[in-house]
Structure formats: C-alpha cells, structure tokens
Amino acid sequence: MNSTRESLNNYRKLVKQILTEYAEILVFDSGTKNEIIFDWEHHRYMLINRAC
C-alpha cells in the first residue's frame, strides 16, 4: 500500500510541474493571467486564463 501512495504522490508532483510550466509559457494576451487550481483531495486540476 505504501508504494501506491508513493505512486500517487509522484503523479501529483508531475501534474503540478507540467501544469505550472505550461501556464508560464501559455499567454494569449498581455492583459490576461494564467492560474492553476489544484484540488488534491478530489484529484482535479484546472488551468484557467483570466483578465488581470
């Protein structure tokens, strides 16, 4: 069971790293900002683009 937990933690770290890097390079307009929402409890992740 410990290896399953470690695998899940590694997956979470990887998702966070990928979304963070992607958000930094993906800019549609200088008047917008990318934000990442992480819901670790329910395993949901969202990248949004909003006006500054």
Side-chain angles (χ1 to χ4, degrees):
M1 182 117 157
N2 210 9
S3 64
T4 303
R5 186 176 302 231
E6 288 177 17
S7 294
L8 182 58
N9 286 336
N10 287 336
Y11 172 76
R12 288 175 176 168
K13 288 178 186 178
L14 184 60
V15 167
K16 183 178 181 179
Q17 177 185 348
I18 291 170
L19 285 178
T20 301
E21 290 176 8
Y22 190 69
E24 289 174 359
I25 61 171
L26 182 67
V27 177
F28 297 111
D29 183 350
S30 62
T32 64
K33 178 181 178 183
N34 292 321
E35 289 187 11
I36 307 167
I37 300 169
F38 296 102
D39 177 359
W40 299 116
E41 185 177 344
H42 298 104
H43 312 286
R44 298 183 206 170
Y45 320 100
M46 183 182 347
L47 173 63
I48 62 170
N49 184 269
R50 67 171 184 88
C52 294

